[in-house]
Structure formats: structure tokens, C-alpha cells
């Protein structure tokens, strides 16, 4: 909301510099959004404040709305602008313009007046300057008055030339699919039944609450006008304007919760200005307002003020402050005030909102500090959160770098379980990832650009899949994953895979899941098992671990040895058929004796090509004093199962 | 007895010969095992033979064996020390040139900041919670006092999977509404996590970013507790001389709402490009949890009150690590040395 300070001063006089006034507005909830600018036109000069609006206060889209709060904050008088409260004569039947509202769910009030014999001309300088300082160009005195009242009071208005109406009748109805309207800006928009229009002879002249058309506009030939101030369904305005991509001063106000009562005050103010600036005579035309809204009454308990703020405010202070904000005290007792909420404060829903008002004016800066002192409640941090932190530390300890990549990816028709977005602005980001690897690969490529030879990366994050189409939350599964990528360019893929397995071994050891096995499934993917549970899978340059599956299988890290362990090492060199998977052999060896602690598989150069056998060295770490017996057992098992022989 | 004395003498002579030959750590270790191995060490064996001697012999021989044991152990230790000393001063080892650093793993800057913040809040008894990123409108909006069509939904352009009911959470407040619904007060919780907005990416915005949410519900919680908690939090993150500004700010899920700004640390409040010439940097939004929010989550707002706060983390991370483009935090352009 822009506020030319010269304009503001008409309603509230504060003896402060613009910067200080901006500070006051900021405290109140209207933060200075941009540096203070200055508008200048000849002798007219004014600083202009650009204040952030947070969607709640419809009345803060008017200068008087802001002025009223500022006056309360600065403890000074607020002067409401002069309005023409005289009841205008009712227009004669022959001159009446009929109002028919066919879409009663979209229009709350449509209030109209007729002005005859006005003189359309240029606006006086004061009016032009104020509007232009705000940012609206001057058109003519009638259009300028409607814009002026909009900025001053927050109510949009619309004037039409009666001579240009084909019939003395305005019908407000839902638009028809495909219907077109050329706006005042010369743009043609295509409408549908979700929006509503003001029509003449069944042709749209105005897109309701959003933008006027060109056909009935005011120009210098105009003498008789019909002026309307409407109150509409704000949700519809919001959706229609966003769909048609029309954002203007009207939309800005009509998509908020404005009160229908504001239409009458705005017409009174416009009447005062039109009669002053364009002459003529004002008549009351139809005010379509079928469902009047009763005033909102709320009870404000003193105990509640204390409960929320911790401050005991004197009753006099409370009363005075609220009256400055235009609340009316209906009744009071020793516990509470019964208050009528000002009609324009459509944002006030509950008692605590009134307390907000009190504290704003009290000034948040002066609210004291009090440290939390009660006993902390029971901890509810989920185990998985701490566990993932442990994985993170272990990965960093293994020399891996953590990255976070974008979960939003391009939709891929080949991935049936992919979760797609309906309204993404980018076709490259219209689905959720089902795999972290592609994102991490992109990071890896960047490391290559920096000439890194050995790169180890990881990400702990989610992948997202969809398993049903009931359109409920239960369709979707978010799986927590640790993805590792490791490539050392100086190594062959086989050597690299050894490094990847070492990372896996180190990580699982750190997580207390040191006993695991690797097994190739039917699809050729090597899976990581603890017992019968799959924890993830491994490739020559990557590891995927499912964190939630890993958690229950993890335990205390046993890496600290207090007593000397007489660990012995013996090698077993075997000749095996090349198709036999070494993980399976390793697994069988480990079952041969409880004294076996670990088995390393080492490459060997002594393959027997004539018999098509590969030579593998198994280095067995054990606690036994009698390895010869263990060796016998192992060889017997391996001979039976794999036809293996010792070399 | 004479036999034992002979053995002692022989050990001494033999030890001396071996000792002179020992040149490195391994040699001294071998020497140690030769005399002190539990299974076959010469002195170990000698000690094992002592019980067979008579009391008088024990009196005589015992101390001699003991002295021998102590002497040899001391000699081996001294030999090792001398070796270490010699190695340290070895003229053939040139330690004067520097090398590239050994590679250490690095945690993502955002997670470093989250961990730092968690550390603060856990000290004050907060739990850390998480929740789903694919969320329904009920937890993301409705229970947070945001009815359908409310103008404030414009503050958060939503990415929908099925409009209007299934969406990507726009804030971690959705986890707040889940926890308020699931648990009974008292509660102190922080929620770090990813959130999504339907925005076109630019230098400071992505369609996803990180939020940090916190809330407290208990009897007797007032806005004074909120101010104090956030004051301590900012001092923890930015130092004791931080200057904060408290102002009214509207958020639908709280009432009264409160915004907190920090005096720009770059320009000291004079205005610069970092603070968009404001002199202040918006840090977070907060407030007392809305009456309707508590009620719709099954908590009696007449008995319990609470406060909540939430902040975007990415700008904080950018400032802390000197990153000018938020996209670089997540698009893979950032590498660690």
C-alpha cells in the first residue's frame, strides 16, 4: 500500500519525520517495504511510503484505514473525510436504471446512485497530484473521484455513461463459456461460467469486481452517469483474477473480505466530491442488498489479555485504545468488555484478535521478556531423526561429502509409480523423484569439472512413490534413503567396487550392523541383507540404503576393544568355477565356525585357464587355536556345494 | 640355584648382543617378545620356574630376576625412545614443503545450520520432529485457521498433486498441526524440513526450500516467553550484540502475530543491498498459536496457550556461508574442497 504523506496528513497529523512515521507503521504491522520515495509535480511535493500488506486487513488497503491505526498508535486524533450524508432524492421511475442480480451467490451488495447534468472535465491539481503520487494516472474528474475514493476508503467504484446503455438495466449474471470482453486497457479476455459480468442487452460490459469494459466508459460528452459500488464473493474474484492473470487495484481490494456497509459510505464520499467537482444532481437508484450483515459483538475478558500477554493493562487504557480503533463498548462488567467490532474490521474473528490490536498499539517493543521456566516435556524426537544424524556423521567420517539435491524432477512416463504435480510452472519440475542417484550424478559431474579424481558423495533424503489412485494421502509413500556415490577415476570399475564395499562395510560397522551379506537378485541387482531383510542395494559406484529398514537392525557401535584379543589370520586359496558368486562362498565360510570373525576376499593372479577355474584367496580372521580343523570343515562344505578345491 | 644364576647371566649377555643389533621399532618389539612373551619369553619362563625353588633360594634369586626384568624392559623402552628421536631428526626426511590437505567429508551447509539450531533448542528441552512432505489441505491449511479461499493462501502459492486436497506442504506448520493433534500438552518441538512453493526459480528462490518451525504449548505460556526464546535464539546464532526489532505481523495460524527483524549486520542499519536498503533483515514470523488452531487440533485454548515461530533457512545459510545464489545450494553447482 502506497501512502503519499501529504494525503495522509488530511486524516492524521503526526509531528514526525517520514522515516519515523515509517517506523511507526512498521511496528503496527505495515512494514516499510521499499525505500521512501518522493513524488514531485511543480510545487506539489510529498514523500511516499510503500508499506507491505499481509492480506488480512482489507481496510489497510485504504489510506484512512492506515491513518486510523497510526492515530491510535501516536495517541492523536483521526479525522474521517467529509461525506455527503444527506439522503439523495429517489430517481424517477422513467430515469431509473434497473438492477437485476442473477448470480446471488457471487454478489453481496450492489449499491447505485445516478448523477444528472454533470460536467466531465479535467480534475483539479490537488486531486491529480494525490492520485499520481499514489501511482494512478488522472483521466477525468468523474473517473478520478472513483479512484480517489477507492484509495481513500478501500471501496472500488465504477461509473458508466447512462447514454451509452442500450437499455436502462444492468443485469449481473455468470458469464457464458467463450464469452468475450474488451477491457478498458484494450485487452480482450475470454470468460467462462466461473466468473460473473455486468451486462447490457445481454452483452458483458464489466467483469464483475475486476475490470471495466470500454463500451460504457465516461468521456467529455457524458452528462448522466450511474455510479455503482459493489460487494462481491471475494473467493470468486481471487480465483477469476488469478486465472485470467488480471491483477489491478480493483482486484487487490475486492479479493479481500470487504464489508458491504462500506459501499454506502463510499457513495456518500463520492457524491460529496462529484457534486463539488462536476456539479449536477445526485439521485438514489437501486441498492441491491438482500442479506444485511449484523454487527459483530465479541467479549474481551481481562483474564484473557493477561493469559496471552502476561501484562496487566489498566481497564481505562484498554477502553481508550479500542475506542481509538473504532471499537464500541456495548457493555462492561468487572470481568470483561462487550465490544462491537468496527464493520470494516472483517479480519477480527476471535477475542485474541482484539488482544492483538491492544498489543500493537501498546507496541511490541515494550512487552517484557520472560524465559521458559517450566520443566521440559517428555522428548518425542523420533528415533529415525537421530539415526539419520548418525548416518550423516558416519558418512562424513568416511570422507564423503553431503549434498542436497532437488526432489522436484521432470515427469517420466516410464515410471509408473512417479508422483506428478498438477500445476507446476516448469515442465522440468513437475514430478517428485523416485531415485536420488540422478541428482547426485549431476553433482558428481560438477566435481569432475573441478578436476577432482576421487569423489565420494552422499545424500540423506526421501524418494516418493504413488501406489494407488484413491486421491487420498494413503496413495503416497515417502521412503527415507541414504544414497552414496563413489568414483575414483584412477581405478577400474572392479577396483572401485571394492572401495564402495569398504564404504558400506565401514558405514554398517559404525551403525552397529556389521553382520550382513550381499546377494544378487534375479534382476541382477546386488542387494544388501541382514538375515532375510533387504537393507538396500549396491553397485560398482553407488550404495542405496533404506534408513527405516536399517534402523531396527542397527545397534551399539562395537569398535572399542578393552581386552587384548588374540585374533589370528589364516589364508585359504581356492580354485572355483568363474560363475560362482564370491559373496555366496564367503557366506558359507562364515558359517563353518563360530570362531571366524571376518573374511576378506583378495584378488589373485593364479587362475587356471586350462580348467577354466578362478583362483581366489580368502583371508580368514579367527580366534581359534586349531585352524586346521576349521579349514577341513570349510573345504568339505565348499567341495560339496561349489566343487571348490584348495590350491 | 647356581643354574638359575647362570641363566640370568646368559640372558644378560645374549640380550646385550641382540640389543646392539636392534635398529628399529620392529626389532625392539621382537626383542620384547623374545624375553617377555607370555608363552615362550625367556624371562617369563624364568619367572615360571621360581615357585620350584626353596624359600631361601627364592629370597635370593627372586630379586635378581625382578631386577633383570626391570632392567631389560627399561633398556627396550629406552632403545625405542632413542629410535623415535633419531627418526624425528632424520635428515633424509624433508618436512619443509606443504601438500594438499587430506580429504575430509563435509556436511551440507543447510544441515550444519539445522544442527546448530537444534543444539540450541534441545538445550531448552525441545524435541525435533518431522512429517510428510506430501500433505493434505486439512493439516497444511484448515487446522491452521486458513479456510478455503482465504486471501492469505496467496501468501503461499501451492504445488498441488490433486487440487485442492493433496499438495506438497507449503510450510512445516503442517507438522505442527499434526503434532498438536497427536500429542497432549505440554510440548516443545522444532521441525526442520523441506517445503515447496509454486514459484519460478531465481537467484534467491527455488520451488523447494528449507523451513525451521518451532512451537511450545503449555499452561501459562505468553507472548513474553516467545520474545525471550527468540531473543536468546538470535543471540546464540549471531552473538550477544545482535539488535532485534519486534513488530506486529499477520499470519493466519497465530494471533497475536509477531515479526522479528535483525539490524543488518552488513550495513549496521544504514541500508545496503543485503537488507534491500531497509537497514533490517526479516528473520522470522511468529506469534501466539491461534485460538482456532488449538481448538481444531483438539487442545482446549481456554486451558493451554502456546507460541509458534517459523523461518526460511536458505537465506540464513547463504549469509553464513557467503553464498549469493540459493540455487547453488541444491543444484549441484556447489563443490567442497
Amino acid at each position: 500500500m502506497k501512502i503519499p504523506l501529504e494525503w495522509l496528513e488530511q486524516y492524521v497529523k503526526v509531528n514526525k519525520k517520514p522515516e519515523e512515521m515509517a517506523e511507526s507503521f512498521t511496528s503496527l504491522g505495515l512494514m516499510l517495504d521499499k525505500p521512501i520515495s518522493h513524488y514531485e509535480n511543480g510545487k506539489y511535493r510529498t514523500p511516499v511510503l510503500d508499506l507491505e500488506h499481509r492480506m488480512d486487513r482489507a481496510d489497510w488497503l485504504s489510506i484512512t484505514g492506515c491513518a486510523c491505526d497510526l492515530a491510535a498508535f501516536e495517541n492523536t486524533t483521526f479525522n474521517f473525510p467529509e461525506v455527503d450524508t444527506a439522503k439523495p432524492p429517489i430517481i424517477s421511475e422513467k430515469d431509473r436504471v434497473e438492477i437485476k442480480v442473477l448470480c446471488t451467490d457471487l454478489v453481496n451488495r450492489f449499491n447505485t446512485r445516478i448523477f444528472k447534468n454533470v460536467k466531465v472535465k479535467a480534475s483539479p491539481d490537488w486531486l491529480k497530484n494525490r492520485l499520481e503520487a499514489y501511482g494512478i494516472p488522472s483521466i477525468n474528474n468523474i473517473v478520478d473521484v472513483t479512484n480517489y475514493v477507492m484509495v481513500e476508503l478501500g471501496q472500488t467504484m465504477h461509473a458508466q455513461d447512462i447514454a451509452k446503455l442500450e437499455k436502462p438495466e444492468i443485469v449481473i449474471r455468470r458469464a457464458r463459456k467463450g464469452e468475450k470482453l474488451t477491457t478498458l486497457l484494450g485487452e480482450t479476455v475470454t470468460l467462462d461460467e466461473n466468473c460473473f459480468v455486468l451486462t447490457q442487452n445481454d452483452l458483458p460490459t464489466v467483469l464483475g469486481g475486476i475490470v471495466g469494459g470500454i463500451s460504457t466508459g465516461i468521456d467529455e460528452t457524458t452528462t448522466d452517469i450511474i455510479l455503482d459500488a459493489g460487494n462481491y464473493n471475494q473467493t470468486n474474484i481471487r480465483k477469476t483474477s488469478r486465472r485470467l492473470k488480471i491483477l489491478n487495484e480493483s482486484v487487490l481490494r475486492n479479493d479481500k473480505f470487504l464489508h458491504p456497509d462500506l459501499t454506502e459510505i463510499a457513495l456518500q464520499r463520492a457524491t460529496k466530491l462529484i457534486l463539488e467537482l462536476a456539479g449536477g444532481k445526485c439521485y438514489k437508484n437501486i441498492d441491491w442488498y438482500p442479506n444485511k450483515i449484523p454487527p459483530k459483538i465479541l467479549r474481551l475478558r481481562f483474564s484473557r489479555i493477561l493469559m496471552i500477554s502476561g501484562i496487566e493493562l489498566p481497564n481505562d487504557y484498554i477502553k481508550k485504545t479500542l475506542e481509538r480503533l473504532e471499537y464500541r463498548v456495548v457493555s462492561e462488567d468487572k470481568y470483561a468488555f462487550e465490544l462491537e467490532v468496527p464493520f470494516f474490521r472483517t479480519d477480527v474473528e476471535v477475542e485474541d484478535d482484539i488482544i492483538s490490536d491492544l498489543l500493537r498499539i501498546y507496541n511490541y517493543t515494550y512487552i517484557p521478556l520472560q524465559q521458559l521456566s517450566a520443566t521440559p516435556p517428555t522428548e518425542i524426537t523420533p528415533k529415525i531423526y537421530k539415526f539419520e544424524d548418525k548416518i550423516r556423521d558416519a558418512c562424513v567420517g568416511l570422507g564423503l561429502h553431503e549434498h542436497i539435491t532437488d526432489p522436484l524432477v521432470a515427469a517420466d512416463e516410464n515410471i509408473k509409480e512417479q508422483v506428478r504435480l498438477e500445476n507446476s510452472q516448469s515442465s522440468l519440475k513437475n514430478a517428485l523423484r523416485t531415485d536420488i542417484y540422478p541428482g547426485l550424478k549431476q553433482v558428481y559431474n560438477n566435481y569432475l569439472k573441478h578436476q577432482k579424481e576421487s569423489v565420494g558423495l552422499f545424500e540423506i533424503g526421501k524418494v516418493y512413490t504413488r501406489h494407488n489412485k484413491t486421491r487420498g494421502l494413503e496413495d503416497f509413500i515417502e521412503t527415507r534413503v541414504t544414497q552414496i556415490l563413489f568414483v575414483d577415476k584412477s581405478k577400474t570399475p572392479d577396483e572401485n567396487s571394492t572401495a564402495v564395499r569398504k564404504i558400506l562395510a565401514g558405514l554398517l560397522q559404525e551403525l552397529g550392523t556389521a553382520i550382513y551379506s550381499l546377494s544378487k537378485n534375479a534382476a541382477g541387482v546386488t542387494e544388501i541383507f541382514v538375515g532375510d531383510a533387504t537393507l538396500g542395494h549396491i553397485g560398482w559406484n553407488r550404495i542405496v540404503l533404506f534408513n527405516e529398514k536399517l534402523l531396527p537392525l542397527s545397534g551399539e557401535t562395537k569398535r572399542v576393544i578393552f581386552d587384548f584379543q588374540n585374533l589370528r589370520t589364516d589364508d585359504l586359496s581356492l580354485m572355483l568355477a568363474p560363475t560362482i558368486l564370491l559373496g555366496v562362498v564367503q557366506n558359507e565360510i562364515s558359517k563353518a565356525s563360530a570362531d571366524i570373525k571376518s573374511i576378506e576376499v583378495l584378488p589373485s593372479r593364479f587362475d587356471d585357464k586350462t580348467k577354466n577355474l578362478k583362483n581366489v584367496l580368502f583371508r580368514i580372521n579367527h580366534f581359534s587355536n586349531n585352524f586346521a580343523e576349521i579349514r577341513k570343515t570349510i573345504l568339505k562344505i565348499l567341495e560339496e556345494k561349489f566343487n571348490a578345491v584348495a590350491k | 640355584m647356581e643354574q638359575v644364576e647362570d641363566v640370568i647371566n646368559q640372558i644378560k649377555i645374549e640380550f646385550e648382543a641382540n640389543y646392539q643389533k636392534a635398529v628399529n621399532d620392529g626389532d625392539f618389539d621382537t626383542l620384547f617378545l623374545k624375553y617377555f612373551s607370555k608363552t615362550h619369553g625367556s624371562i617369563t619362563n624364568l619367572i615360571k620356574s621360581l615357585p620350584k625353588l626353596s624359600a631361601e633360594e627364592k629370597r635370593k634369586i627372586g630379586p635378581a630376576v625382578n631386577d633383570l626384568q626391570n632392567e631389560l624392559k627399561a633398556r627396550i623402552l629406552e632403545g625405542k625412545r632413542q629410535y623415535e628421536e633419531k627418526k624425528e631428526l632424520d635428515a633424509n626426511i624433508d618436512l619443509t614443503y606443504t601438500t594438499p590437505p587430506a580429504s575430509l567429508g563435509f556436511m551440507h551447509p543447510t544441515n550444519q545450520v539445522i544442527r546448530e539450531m537444534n543444539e540450541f533448542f534441545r538445550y531448552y528441552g525441545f524435541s525435533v520432529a518431522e512429517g510428510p512432505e506430501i500433505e493434505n489441505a486439512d493439516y497444511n491449511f484448515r487446522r491452521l485457521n486458513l479456510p478455503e479461499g482465504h486471501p492469505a493462501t496467496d501468501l503461499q502459492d501451492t504445488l498441488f498433486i490433486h487440487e485442492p486436497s493433496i499438495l506438497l506442504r507449503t510450510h512445516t506448520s503442517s507438522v505442527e498441526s499434526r503434532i498438536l493433534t497427536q500429542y497432549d500438552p505440554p510440548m516443545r518441538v522444532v521441525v526442520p524440513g523441506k517445503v515447496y512453493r509454486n514459484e519460478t526459480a531465481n537467484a534467491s528462490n527455488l520451488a523447494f526450500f528449507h523451513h525451521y518451525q518451532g512451537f511450545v504449548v503449555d499452561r501459562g505460556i505468553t507472548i513474553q516467553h516467545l520474545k525471550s526464546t527468540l531473543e536468546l535464539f538470535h543471540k546464540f546464532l549471531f552473538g550477544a550484540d545482535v539488535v532485534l526489532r519486534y513488530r506486529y505481523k499477520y499470519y493466519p495460524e497465530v494471533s497475536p502475530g509477531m515479526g522479528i527483524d535483525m539490524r543488518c549486520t552488513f550495513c549496521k542499519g544504514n541500508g545496503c543491498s543485503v537488507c534491500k536498503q531497509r537497514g533490517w533483515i526479516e528473520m522470522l514470523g511468529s506469534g501466539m498459536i491461534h485460538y482456532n488452531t488449538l481448538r481444531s487440533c483438539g487442545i482446549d485454548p481456554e486451558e493451554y496457550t502456546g507460541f509458534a515461530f517459523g523461518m526460511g533457512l536458505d537465506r540464513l545459510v547463504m549469509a553464513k556461508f557467503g553464498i549469493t545464489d540459493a540455487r547453488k545450494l541444491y543444484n549441484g553447482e556447489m563443490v567442497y574442497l
Side-chain angles (χ1 to χ4, degrees):
Chain A
M1 177 68 192
K2 282 187 185 163
I3 307 223
L5 291 185
E6 181 277 333
W7 193 348
L8 180 79
E9 275 175 21
Q10 181 180 331
Y11 321 113
V12 56
K13 284 197 166 50
V14 179
N15 191 21
K16 278 188 170 177
K17 292 178 189 165
E19 294 77 17
E20 293 168 334
M21 287 175 73
E23 276 292 313
S24 298
F25 274 124
T26 298
S27 275
L28 281 166
L30 286 154
M31 186 184 72
L32 184 70
D33 203 21
K34 293 184 180 122
I36 298 169
S37 62
H38 294 268
Y39 175 81
E40 196 171 335
N41 183 17
K43 285 182 184 172
Y44 182 85
R45 289 174 190 187
T46 179
V48 181
L49 305 184
D50 195 339
L51 306 176
E52 183 197 44
H53 184 262
R54 296 282 300 171
M55 309 289 177
D56 56 331
R57 295 275 300 263
D59 62 313
W60 271 351
L61 286 167
S62 71
I63 296 188
T64 51
C66 300
C68 176
D69 274 35
L70 183 70
F73 188 75
E74 299 290 354
N75 198 14
T76 186
T77 315
F78 167 61
N79 302 305
F80 195 77
E82 273 184 60
V83 293
D84 189 339
T85 50
K87 283 193 176 173
I90 295 170
I91 192 82
S92 66
E93 203 166 319
K94 75 173 174 55
D95 288 334
R96 184 192 301 158
V97 177
E98 287 296 335
I99 306 295
K100 286 187 182 160
V101 179
L102 304 181
C103 47
T104 53
D105 55 332
L106 302 181
V107 182
N108 304 318
R109 185 173 188 178
F110 197 75
N111 196 352
T112 57
R113 287 188 177 189
I114 285 174
F115 294 82
K116 293 180 87 68
N117 299 320
V118 294
K119 185 158 177 54
V120 179
K121 56 186 178 183
S123 294
D125 286 347
W126 68 265
L127 178 54
K128 275 187 196 170
N129 284 333
R130 283 184 173 180
L131 276 180
E132 283 173 7
Y134 176 83
I136 296 177
S138 171
I139 309 287
N140 59 47
N141 54 355
I142 301 296
V143 175
D144 287 358
V145 164
T146 61
N147 285 332
Y148 186 87
V149 175
M150 174 184 74
V151 177
E152 187 180 49
L153 300 177
Q155 172 66 49
T156 63
M157 311 181 90
H158 181 233
Q160 297 186 75
D161 187 341
I162 291 177
K164 290 178 186 166
L165 301 182
E166 289 185 26
K167 279 170 76 177
E169 180 184 69
I170 295 172
V171 177
I172 306 177
R173 61 164 171 80
R174 280 181 183 270
R176 298 185 189 110
K177 194 170 172 60
E179 231 171 4
K180 289 188 167 39
L181 172 76
T182 303
T183 70
L184 281 169
L185 299 172
E187 199 182 334
T188 302
V189 288
T190 306
L191 312 171
D192 62 28
E193 61 275 11
N194 292 314
C195 53
F196 67 97
V197 284
L198 276 61
T199 62
Q200 261 295 300
N201 212 9
D202 206 32
L203 292 174
T205 53
V206 174
L207 179 55
I210 295 178
V211 66
I214 49 172
S215 58
T216 56
I218 308 293
D219 59 35
E220 282 169 12
T221 64
T222 304
T223 56
D224 298 345
I225 61 172
I226 174 161
L227 183 66
D228 69 65
N231 185 280
Y232 312 107
N233 178 317
Q234 60 84 24
T235 306
N236 180 273
I237 302 277
R238 202 171 70 83
K239 286 187 174 170
T240 303
S241 61
R242 302 306 183 269
R243 197 171 60 248
L244 298 175
K245 295 189 167 55
I246 302 174
L247 278 177
N248 56 28
E249 295 284 337
S250 282
V251 169
L252 202 61
R253 291 169 174 83
N254 285 324
D255 72 358
K256 309 291 180 304
F257 293 107
L258 289 165
H259 196 286
D261 285 3
L262 188 60
T263 59
E264 183 61 20
I265 294 165
L267 283 176
Q268 288 174 0
R269 175 64 175 152
T271 300
K272 164 95 180 148
L273 291 170
I274 288 173
L275 296 181
E276 266 176 29
L277 303 177
K281 187 153 187 196
C282 173
Y283 299 89
K284 185 171 172 58
N285 193 52
I286 292 167
D287 177 11
W288 187 87
Y289 188 20
N291 302 309
K292 290 192 173 48
I293 298 174
K296 192 185 285 175
I297 307 290
L298 287 176
R299 190 170 164 80
L300 174 66
R301 291 164 296 167
F302 307 131
S303 59
R304 185 74 189 172
I305 299 173
L306 187 64
M307 194 175 177
I308 294 294
S309 70
I311 307 169
E312 277 192 69
L313 295 174
N315 289 8
D316 283 356
Y317 174 84
I318 296 168
K319 191 174 180 183
K320 203 171 133 193
T321 304
L322 292 176
E323 281 174 346
R324 282 189 178 284
L325 293 171
E326 314 245 321
Y327 287 87
R328 191 172 69 82
V329 177
V330 178
S331 66
E332 62 180 283
D333 54 43
K334 63 178 179 178
Y335 303 112
F337 285 130
E338 200 89 359
L339 296 163
E340 182 183 322
V341 179
F343 77 89
F344 53 85
R345 290 298 304 278
T346 52
D347 60 298
V348 175
E349 294 175 69
V350 293
E351 189 181 18
D352 292 355
D353 295 335
I354 307 174
I355 297 170
S356 287
D357 273 345
L358 280 172
L359 295 180
R360 278 188 313 122
I361 304 304
Y362 182 83
N363 196 338
Y364 277 22
T365 308
Y366 304 126
I367 296 173
L369 307 180
Q370 195 186 348
Q371 210 166 317
L372 287 171
S373 54
T375 309
T378 311
E379 198 192 4
I380 57 168
T381 307
K383 280 184 181 163
I384 189 72
Y385 190 83
K386 293 178 184 172
F387 183 62
E388 286 187 345
D389 251 359
K390 196 172 173 185
I391 297 176
R392 186 170 285 117
D393 287 340
C395 287
V396 169
L398 286 160
L400 305 174
H401 293 326
E402 187 184 27
H403 281 266
I404 298 173
T405 59
D406 197 342
L408 297 172
V409 296
D412 183 344
E413 285 178 9
N414 297 317
I415 307 173
K416 282 185 185 162
E417 294 181 336
Q418 195 177 42
V419 181
R420 315 259 158 77
L421 305 174
E422 279 183 347
N423 63 333
S424 169
Q425 290 183 21
S426 163
S427 60
L428 297 172
K429 305 276 177 196
N430 55 0
L432 288 167
R433 67 183 175 196
T434 52
D435 186 1
I436 297 181
Y437 179 74
L440 221 47
K441 183 78 195 319
Q442 202 181 325
V443 180
Y444 169 70
N445 290 339
N446 203 42
Y447 273 87
L448 288 187
K449 281 188 216 159
H450 288 77
Q451 278 142 25
K452 300 275 179 187
E453 192 163 74
S454 173
V455 181
L457 308 173
F458 76 100
E459 178 170 355
I460 297 170
K462 287 178 176 174
V463 294
Y464 314 80
T465 47
R466 160 171 218 163
H467 297 272
N468 284 305
K469 292 207 169 173
T470 65
R471 298 172 80 90
L473 267 188
E474 57 282 2
D475 290 357
F476 306 94
I477 294 180
E478 299 179 16
T479 309
R480 309 171 79 111
V481 166
T482 300
Q483 172 81 53
I484 293 171
L485 182 154
F486 178 84
V487 179
D488 185 337
K489 272 173 67 189
S490 69
K491 289 184 170 144
T492 63
D494 191 33
E495 289 168 341
N496 200 86
S497 76
T498 304
V500 169
R501 275 175 297 195
K502 281 196 169 193
I503 291 170
L504 177 69
L507 181 58
L508 292 183
Q509 175 179 262
E510 187 60 25
L511 298 174
T513 318
I515 300 169
Y516 65 96
S517 62
L518 303 170
S519 173
K520 203 177 254 191
N521 67 16
V525 176
T526 303
E527 294 181 296
I528 306 161
F529 283 93
V530 168
D532 295 333
T534 319
L535 297 185
H537 46 89
I538 183 167
W540 73 274
N541 67 346
R542 69 189 86 168
I543 300 166
V544 174
L545 289 169
F546 302 118
N547 305 342
E548 277 156 323
K549 288 188 178 173
L550 189 53
L551 172 62
L553 299 168
S554 70
E556 287 302 309
T557 308
K558 287 181 182 159
R559 288 179 60 197
V560 182
I561 298 166
F562 295 99
D563 298 314
F564 176 69
Q565 294 183 335
N566 194 10
L567 188 68
R568 294 165 189 199
T569 301
D570 284 281
D571 288 351
L572 187 62
S573 180
L574 292 174
M575 301 305 290
L576 294 160
T579 49
I580 294 170
L581 295 170
L582 299 181
V584 182
V585 181
Q586 190 184 27
N587 198 26
E588 289 300 331
I589 297 175
S590 69
K591 289 181 200 163
S593 165
D595 282 336
I596 295 175
K597 183 174 184 287
S598 62
I599 305 153
E600 292 172 60
V601 181
L602 300 169
S604 172
R605 290 172 297 160
F606 304 110
D607 292 349
D608 186 341
K609 284 180 184 157
T610 54
K611 290 183 186 167
N612 193 25
L613 291 174
K614 65 180 173 187
N615 176 233
V616 186
L617 186 74
F618 291 88
R619 179 154 292 164
I620 300 166
N621 300 309
H622 61 90
F623 296 110
S624 171
N625 287 328
N626 189 0
F627 184 71
E629 273 304 308
I630 295 177
R631 184 187 164 91
K632 258 190 213 168
T633 314
I634 292 171
L635 286 174
K636 193 179 168 205
I637 296 168
L638 297 186
E639 194 180 350
E640 277 170 15
K641 292 214 168 183
F642 309 113
N643 225 5
V645 285
K647 184 177 160 59
Chain B
M1 194 171 85
E2 276 175 22
Q3 214 179 352
V4 177
E5 283 174 338
D6 288 347
V7 173
I8 289 173
N9 286 331
Q10 198 165 343
I11 286 174
K12 279 185 177 172
I13 295 161
E14 188 194 78
F15 177 82
E16 199 54 45
N18 287 329
Y19 189 81
Q20 294 306 324
K21 286 182 206 159
V23 291
N24 61 30
D25 247 9
D27 294 343
F28 287 112
D29 285 342
T30 309
L31 205 57
F32 185 87
L33 287 175
K34 185 173 169 55
Y35 295 97
F36 298 105
S37 161
K38 280 182 183 168
T39 52
H40 55 273
S42 313
I43 294 181
T44 313
N45 288 340
L46 196 60
I47 293 168
K48 280 180 188 168
S49 70
L50 289 181
K52 293 174 193 162
L53 302 178
S54 67
E56 193 188 333
E57 286 171 334
K58 278 183 195 166
R59 263 197 304 278
K60 195 172 173 192
I61 299 297
V65 172
N66 213 24
D67 289 348
L68 177 69
Q69 176 174 242
N70 290 341
E71 185 193 333
L72 263 53
K73 279 185 177 171
R75 293 283 305 280
I76 290 170
L77 277 179
E78 175 59 17
K80 281 186 127 181
R81 192 195 62 76
Q82 283 180 8
Y83 167 69
E84 285 295 324
E85 200 172 73
K86 196 175 152 199
K87 199 165 56 172
E88 195 71 31
L89 301 171
D90 189 343
N92 294 322
I93 303 173
D94 183 354
L95 297 169
T96 59
Y97 60 92
T98 60
T99 69
S103 180
L104 296 171
F106 193 82
M107 201 194 293
H108 192 277
T110 303
N111 281 331
Q112 288 189 41
V113 170
I114 288 174
R115 194 172 272 194
E116 201 177 339
M117 290 163 73
N118 286 351
E119 189 192 331
F120 170 84
F121 284 107
R122 293 187 75 134
Y123 178 79
Y124 283 96
F126 284 70
S127 295
V128 185
E130 284 193 312
E133 291 167 31
I134 298 171
E135 189 52 280
N136 63 24
D138 184 34
Y139 285 114
N140 197 72
F141 292 130
R142 307 294 165 255
R143 288 180 197 235
L144 295 165
N145 197 39
L146 259 169
E148 197 178 349
H150 192 283
T153 51
D154 274 4
L155 295 170
Q156 309 173 358
D157 276 337
T158 311
L159 277 167
F160 283 102
I161 293 164
H162 291 305
E163 192 171 2
S165 56
I166 305 290
L167 45 89
L168 292 180
R169 68 180 181 198
T170 55
H171 46 196
T172 40
S173 307
S174 59
V175 184
E176 177 189 324
S177 58
R178 278 181 176 272
I179 290 174
L180 291 181
T181 307
Q182 200 180 336
Y183 292 89
D184 291 328
M187 53 182 88
R188 292 184 196 175
V189 179
V190 286
V191 188
K194 290 191 182 87
V195 300
Y196 301 83
R197 301 276 169 94
N198 199 1
E199 289 172 359
T200 314
N202 60 36
S204 54
N205 280 319
L206 283 164
F208 92 97
F209 49 101
H210 287 80
H211 250 195
Y212 198 88
Q213 176 89 8
F215 56 94
V216 170
V217 179
D218 204 342
R219 290 187 184 92
I221 296 294
T222 73
I223 199 167
Q224 299 185 14
H225 294 113
L226 170 62
K227 270 188 80 171
S228 167
T229 303
L230 295 179
E231 177 109 358
L232 288 168
F233 169 62
H234 281 87
K235 283 183 173 167
F236 171 81
L237 271 191
F238 300 100
D241 55 350
V242 69
V243 180
L244 298 179
R245 178 172 79 177
Y246 300 93
R247 61 190 165 88
Y248 171 79
K249 192 172 184 185
Y250 167 76
Y251 294 95
E253 65 266 44
V254 291
S255 182
M258 181 165 81
I260 293 196
D261 307 327
M262 182 175 73
R263 177 169 287 165
C264 181
T265 47
F266 295 92
C267 64
K268 306 284 175 212
N270 293 321
C272 67
S273 60
V274 176
C275 61
K276 299 179 189 164
Q277 307 302 328
R278 290 170 179 164
W280 296 89
I281 298 175
E282 286 185 85
M283 295 307 298
L284 53 81
S286 65
M288 298 299 289
I289 300 176
H290 201 283
Y291 194 92
N292 293 344
T293 301
L294 287 175
R295 203 171 45 181
S296 63
C297 294
I299 293 173
D300 181 0
E302 293 293 339
E303 185 178 357
Y304 291 100
T305 49
F307 66 72
F309 57 88
M311 65 193 297
L313 279 185
D314 297 333
R315 267 189 295 174
L316 186 63
V317 176
M318 285 163 72
K320 223 171 165 62
F321 286 83
I323 300 161
T324 50
D325 185 340
R327 288 172 299 186
K328 290 190 178 175
L329 278 169
Y330 309 111
N331 70 356
E333 279 188 48
M334 178 178 67
V335 302
Y336 312 131
L337 292 173

